[in-house]
């Protein structure tokens, strides 16, 4: 027992040291990213003509990744692959490339998110510390875990969700506590550092949470199923768009160029500025007013299309958008407050699309407060089950199938389904 | 994919049905238990002479279990054993026996808790549904999981914590999501049913949560380590007392008789009524005023002694007491608010003693609010790591060792360490 104590204390101090460094890297990276993203978004809003640069920006992103970034183009999937099957240190190039190309996506109005960028910056910077260790060692695994946790925690200002996201994301349906302390520490430090840079995160208001009466239970389940199917649809749409691009456009840099023209065409023709960029103000609005159903469908299509074409950024904020506006639309016939449904959708679509129900439950509590905890938890769990064996991260492995009948899928990668 | 959907929907409806029945059993059981426990506690407070019945009550409990209850005496450990290695349906006797003997423990002032009783009542009633299934089937496993979740959720009024507790408790350091939906549903239904009986749960007030500045981080870590060591000490003390009783008193029913005399002696000699029964008012007080360190030490010894002697009840409320008064005592030299430290100790000692850090983090959020989430999370995780390979449930298996060096302990039972 004394032996365990000495080992635990050594482990503790070693990882406080390492995660505090990762916290500085991840937190500062997220702060820089969020600051410049805000600048880009404001610039776009004040200078609507930038929209015309969508195709050009796409071409430049495409060319850059084609000639100088093939080894980092897989993004989050590369990080998950390295976690499962370590091959080499993630290139330091990944951080500036994903940062700049994400900004290039957002400034011209591409529909994309943030978490992918934050996690890739964090992982590419933090993984340089792995040079101290063997590439396939447990220490390296923990560094990647801490990098994911830190990137996520700091970009959304939700440390508990970040810690759980890193624990949940690599393996579907199973958590191991081997890295639990490291994940919590990295989340704490990176969030603290990002705060210290003066960054403020968006607050969403769930204004009313009724007592969770039995009469609401079927509605929460039904909403959860709808959120899960929507998450699945998003993953499938991304997959279909990406395959179509690959099939018809051989030369990769031309894909975002053509994609840019298509996006521009629709944005101009139908005056759809709501679907450009992050769309945070529209997410906020969906907590107050009931949305029409086409909003979430269009956002789903625009985001899947933007990212499949080869533009850069994360999927998560668009998933928040899709989920919140879908939840909001459900308030037309569901007897639950619109802000609560929007909050449930916000996290549950994300839960289904990334297979991280506990991270999403914590996220809801951190963003919307503890009162609706059980609503969010059940919506996230049902959303998780009903997204099937799909994910926005094709490198996830199945740790436990979503129904015991499918146990034969265990430890298969979603890529190979 | 359609195949998975049909299977998931069938699974969903089947388990909504089963967990709603378990919810009625678990929730009503907890309601009956909490109602009669309150009556017993009030009776004891109004009639202090009942204390003199400690030895007699102990003898009766001992005789009852010796002659009619050997197959249910293992309590929570029996349930965990059945979960891992199914042998037979848990006897329906367990429910009334544990209910009545727990009340017999509390009415005479024994220092004990509630969760063990609630979980055993829930499991013994719910497991009768297992007659529909094969004893070693996955369905039976889910019934036990739902029973644990429902018992815990309803007795404390904390559904998210109950759902996670059931997922975490059988295997240390690993969670599988195979039963995640069932666990959440059972927690919801049982909590709803217990509420519907008009039961109110104690609310604790964490009145001040400062911004989690870097200067607090070392204190939170140190507190977490102290909470973990305290959890370990509780488990060890129970083990030592139980072995001493076994060594010196051959006839089991005499153990609680002698134990009752010893408790009576100390209670009378030192006027220690603070340590009798649940002690909820003293837990509440520790959130307001700084405690002296001997309070938590004495509560630890009295509870370990009471339960080792063969009195009945849970360990969790005393662990809350120990943790909250210890946390409160730490406010003498730690620069954190007394209510926050008490709240951290409340959950983190429990986390270390049961190896359920996520359940405890959720519990803190459900009881004290979301503001201090990260404080509770880090305290619970560090408490978990620093309680070592110990537990109040000796039937827990090690899923992941708490330090990679101890990987050879994997899948060993704590009994065999």
């Amino acid at each position: 027992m004394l032996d365990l104590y000495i080992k635990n204390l050594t482990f503790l101090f070693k990882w406080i040291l390492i995660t505090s460094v990762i916290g500085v890297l991840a937190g500062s990276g997220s702060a820089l990213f969020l600051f410049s993203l805000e600048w880009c978004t404001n610039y776009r809003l004040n200078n609507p003509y930038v929209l015309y640069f969508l195709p050009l920006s796409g071409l430049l992103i495409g060319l850059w990744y084609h000639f100088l970034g093939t080894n980092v183009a897989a993004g989050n999937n590369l990080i998950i692959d390295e976690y499962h099957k370590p091959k080499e240190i993630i290139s330091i190039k990944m951080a500036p490339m994903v940062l700049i190309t994400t900004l290039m996506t957002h400034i011209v109005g591409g529909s994309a998110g943030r978490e992918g960028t934050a996690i890739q910056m964090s992982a590419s910077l933090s993984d340089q510390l792995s040079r101290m260790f063997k590439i396939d060692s447990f220490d390296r695994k923990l560094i990647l875990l801490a990098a994911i946790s830190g990137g996520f925690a700091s970009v959304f200002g939700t440390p508990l969700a970040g810690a759980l996201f890193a624990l949940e994301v690599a393996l579907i349906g199973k958590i191991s506590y081997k890295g639990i302390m490291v994940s919590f520490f990295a989340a704490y430090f990176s969030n603290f550092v990002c705060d210290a840079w003066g960054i403020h995160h968006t607050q969403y208001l769930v204004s009313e949470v009724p007592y969770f009466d039995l009469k609401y239970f079927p509605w929460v389940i039904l909403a959860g199923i709808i959120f899960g199917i929507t998450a699945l649809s998003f993953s499938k749409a991304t997959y279909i768009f990406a395959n179509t691009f690959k099939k018809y456009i051989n030369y990769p840099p031309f894909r975002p160029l053509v994609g840019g023209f298509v996006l521009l065409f629709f944005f101009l023709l139908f005056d759809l500025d709501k679907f450009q960029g992050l769309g945070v103000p529209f997410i906020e609005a969906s907590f107050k007013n009931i949305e029409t159903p086409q909003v979430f469908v269009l956002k789903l299509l625009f985001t899947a299309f933007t990212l499949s074409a080869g533009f850069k950024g994360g999927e998560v904020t668009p998933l928040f958008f899709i989920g919140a506006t879908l939840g909001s639309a459900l308030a037309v016939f569901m007897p639950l407050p619109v802000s609560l449904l929007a909050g449930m959708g916000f996290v549950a679509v994300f839960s289904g699309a990334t297979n991280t129900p506990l991270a999403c439950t914590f996220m809801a509590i951190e963003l919307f407060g503890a009162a609706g905890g059980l609503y969010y938890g059940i919506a996230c769990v049902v959303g998780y089950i009903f997204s099937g064996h799909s994910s926005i991260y094709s490198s996830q492995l199945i740790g436990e199938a979503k129904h015991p009948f499918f146990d034969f899928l265990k430890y298969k990668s979603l890529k190979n389904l």
Side-chain angles (χ1 to χ4, degrees), chain A residues 21-45:
Chain A
V21 176
I22 291 178
V24 172
L25 298 173
S28 305
S30 292
L32 173 66
F33 171 48
L34 291 172
F35 179 81
S36 32
L37 183 57
E38 200 183 338
W39 187 89
C40 288
T41 302
N42 288 335
Y43 188 87
R44 173 173 63 77
L45 294 173

Side-chain angles (χ1 to χ4, degrees), chain A residues 59-391:
Chain A
L59 178 66
L60 292 175
I61 294 171
L63 286 169
W64 194 5
Y65 270 95
H66 186 61
F67 286 108
L68 295 167
T70 42
N71 61 334
V72 295
N76 284 6
N77 283 320
L78 174 66
I79 301 164
I80 297 176
D81 279 338
E82 278 295 325
Y83 182 85
H84 288 306
K85 282 189 196 156
K87 283 186 192 143
E88 53 180 335
I89 303 281
I90 295 169
S91 167
I92 184 82
K93 272 194 317 200
M94 185 190 252
M97 278 189 76
V98 76
L99 171 64
I100 295 171
T101 54
T102 301
L103 296 174
M104 285 167 69
T105 298
H106 278 279
I107 201 168
V108 295
S111 174
R114 299 176 286 191
E115 106 297 344
T117 312
I119 290 175
Q120 289 171 49
M121 287 174 72
S122 166
S124 122
L125 298 172
S126 306
D127 204 21
Q128 308 312 312
L129 299 174
S130 299
R131 296 180 199 281
M132 297 187 295
F133 307 111
K134 272 198 227 154
I135 188 81
D136 59 350
S137 64
F138 181 58
D139 292 306
R140 163 93 192 297
K141 239 184 154 77
L142 290 184
I143 284 183
L144 290 175
L145 190 79
I148 296 173
S149 167
F152 192 99
S154 55
V155 80
F156 296 119
T158 54
L160 291 173
L164 264 290
F165 183 79
L167 291 172
E168 282 184 306
V169 77
L171 198 60
I172 300 176
K174 244 185 191 166
I175 290 192
S176 154
Y177 287 8
K178 272 190 169 177
I180 195 169
M181 198 160 67
V182 169
S183 198
F184 272 75
F185 289 176
Y188 167 74
F189 284 122
S190 63
N191 183 53
F192 176 79
V193 169
C194 190
D195 280 356
W197 283 108
I199 295 294
H200 295 287
H201 302 279
T202 320
Q203 295 294 317
Y204 302 92
L205 187 65
V206 173
S207 52
E208 189 193 348
V209 180
Y211 178 77
F212 198 156
D213 206 324
L214 209 55
K215 70 182 177 204
Y216 296 135
F217 185 79
W219 295 111
V220 174
I221 300 296
L222 180 60
I225 295 175
I226 295 172
F227 296 142
I229 294 173
T230 306
L232 169 69
S233 312
F234 181 82
S235 303
K236 289 286 164 205
T238 309
Y239 183 80
I240 292 168
F241 282 137
N243 274 1
T244 313
F245 272 113
K246 271 182 203 147
K247 197 171 156 192
Y248 292 103
I249 306 176
N250 247 326
Y251 189 59
F254 285 168
R255 293 171 198 157
L257 173 72
V258 174
F261 274 117
V262 175
L263 284 173
L264 182 60
F265 174 79
F266 279 99
F267 282 149
L268 292 178
L269 196 70
F270 298 105
D271 195 21
L272 297 169
D273 48 328
K274 189 169 188 168
F275 304 103
Q276 295 163 17
L278 277 178
V280 169
F282 304 101
I283 304 179
E284 287 175 294
S286 74
F287 280 70
K288 288 182 202 116
N289 310 310
I290 296 182
E291 291 286 348
T292 52
Q294 59 267 37
V295 175
F296 90 88
V297 176
L298 284 173
K299 182 69 179 179
L300 189 154
L301 293 173
F302 274 116
T303 308
F305 188 85
T306 301
L307 295 173
S308 302
F311 286 92
K312 294 291 162 178
E315 292 91 349
V316 176
T317 308
L319 285 168
F320 292 162
F321 188 123
I322 295 164
T325 51
L326 166 57
S328 178
L330 293 178
V332 166
F333 66 94
M334 289 198 181
L336 282 162
V338 57
S339 67
L340 181 62
L341 280 166
M344 283 160 59
F346 186 106
V347 286
V349 171
F350 171 40
S351 162
T354 56
N355 298 303
T356 59
L358 296 185
C360 292
T361 304
F362 272 121
M363 182 164 221
I365 290 173
E366 290 183 289
L367 290 177
F368 317 135
L374 195 55
Y375 284 102
Y376 310 129
I378 291 184
C380 287
V381 166
V382 175
Y384 158 76
I385 296 287
F386 280 86
S387 71
H389 298 115
S390 77
S391 170

